[in-house]
Amino acid sequence: MSASLTGTGLHLTLGRNHVLRGIDIHVDAGTTTTVIGPSGSGKSTLLRVLNRLHEPDRGDVLLDGKSVLREDPDRLRQRIGMVFQHFNLFPHKTVADNIALGPRKLRGLSKDAARALAIEQLEIVGLADKADARPGNLSGGQQQRVAIARALAMRPEIMFFDEATSALDPELVKGVLGLMSELASGGMSMIVVTHEMGFARSVSDNVVFMDQGQVVETGAPEALFDAAETPRLRKFLSQVL
Ligand code: ADP
Ligand code: MG
């Protein structure tokens, strides 16, 4: 089941950098929020605070309305699926074994049940015929779809994508974005950090524009892209569109 997620008043200092300066973000259950903004604005750090890879100095994170800051971090990260720019698949394991590993170790599934689940997830991402291949024999786009299948096999309540298509050859980007669109329309809650403005505009329910550790503007895609209110967002859009 998809969950809502809320971050309120989030602050984080790393070293001498006040990286997050009072972030508020809310994602309704079953909706997709894209986070856009210049490099270094704190997008990745925000995702890392929302799934507690960093503990915030101030503020709270609520999943389904309940604070997660006292929840066991390992348990929390099972509830949040994460897909990165680099897929980090185990090269010596088959595609199916990469997907089955988490459900076996963390969800206690038997070998057969985990294998069946892996195949089922591979069907969803259109790669059932690659179950016994090694990741190295797949294209970058296929590997990223395996990474998405691996995250989905944990039955997450929300998915985070951090520049999931940035490392892909241009001709492979469309397939991964298409899969992400399908997940979104299937009712998955998602936060998507991306430079793909077409995706942000056409798929997301909400867009968050970050700059220098703050949310500068947030709203529906049409409002942000066609009627940006701040000079900072107008400048950013003029550079990326
Ligand atoms: P984005 O994902 O928007 O490009 P990041 O969240 O990666 O931005 O980084 C935001 C800022 O935080 C950058 O200025 C970066 O240098 C800084 N930062 C990230 N991680 C650390 C760290 N471990 N120590 C100090 N500064 C960091
Ligand atoms: Mg980043």
Side-chain angles (χ1 to χ4, degrees):
M1 275 302 289
S2 285
S4 67
L5 183 137
T6 308
T8 57
L10 293 168
H11 282 265
L12 180 70
T13 295
L14 292 171
R16 291 155 156 245
N17 290 339
H18 191 172
V19 179
L20 301 183
R21 300 165 175 252
I23 301 272
D24 295 310
I25 186 167
H26 177 74
V27 182
D28 277 327
T31 69
T32 294
T33 293
T34 50
V35 180
I36 62 172
S39 177
S41 56
K43 306 180 298 295
S44 296
T45 306
L46 173 61
L47 292 185
R48 294 170 66 84
V49 164
L50 294 175
N51 74 1
R52 292 188 61 199
L53 288 168
H54 289 306
E55 297 294 334
D57 298 327
R58 264 197 280 159
D60 201 356
V61 178
L62 302 106
L63 197 54
D64 234 0
K66 232 183 103 205
S67 176
V68 301
L69 293 184
R70 262 167 251 99
E71 187 168 345
D72 170 34
D74 291 332
R75 170 74 195 112
L76 175 65
R77 286 191 282 272
Q78 291 178 40
R79 301 177 66 193
I80 300 177
M82 183 98 196
V83 176
F84 303 92
Q85 188 171 343
H86 301 287
F87 347 106
N88 303 323
L89 298 171
F90 291 110
H92 302 298
K93 289 187 186 297
T94 66
V95 161
D97 285 347
N98 265 278
I99 298 168
L101 190 66
R104 282 196 71 186
K105 288 212 161 150
L106 300 167
R107 292 180 56 213
L109 266 64
S110 71
K111 196 172 175 207
D112 288 349
R115 164 94 187 171
L117 175 62
I119 304 290
E120 184 188 313
Q121 297 306 320
L122 281 170
E123 275 161 8
I124 291 171
V125 303
L127 291 173
D129 58 327
K130 301 293 184 191
D132 296 312
R134 308 277 161 184
N137 294 326
L138 271 52
S139 73
Q142 289 171 330
Q143 290 185 57
Q144 192 60 298
R145 277 147 67 194
V146 172
I148 293 170
R150 176 179 57 181
L152 293 173
M154 295 302 290
R155 299 276 185 258
E157 294 164 52
I158 185 167
M159 288 282 289
F160 292 177
F161 294 86
D162 193 356
E163 299 199 24
T165 59
S166 295
L168 299 180
D169 291 332
E171 74 273 21
L172 303 177
V173 167
K174 228 173 139 183
V176 173
L177 290 178
L179 172 58
M180 291 165 62
S181 307
E182 282 171 29
L183 288 178
S185 48
M188 176 63 77
S189 307
M190 318 211 304
I191 301 182
V192 180
V193 172
T194 187
H195 295 293
E196 296 288 339
M197 294 301 140
F199 179 93
R201 181 193 273 272
S202 62
V203 177
S204 47
D205 301 286
N206 267 295
V207 181
V208 169
F209 170 61
M210 282 181 69
D211 194 18
Q212 298 183 357
Q214 291 181 313
V215 173
V216 176
E217 279 194 49
T218 180
E222 309 80 58
L224 260 84
F225 287 111
D226 300 332
E229 288 177 2
T230 59
R232 277 202 273 180
L233 176 54
R234 283 200 291 273
K235 177 165 173 247
F236 175 74
L237 292 176
S238 75
Q239 287 164 342
V240 295
L241 287 178

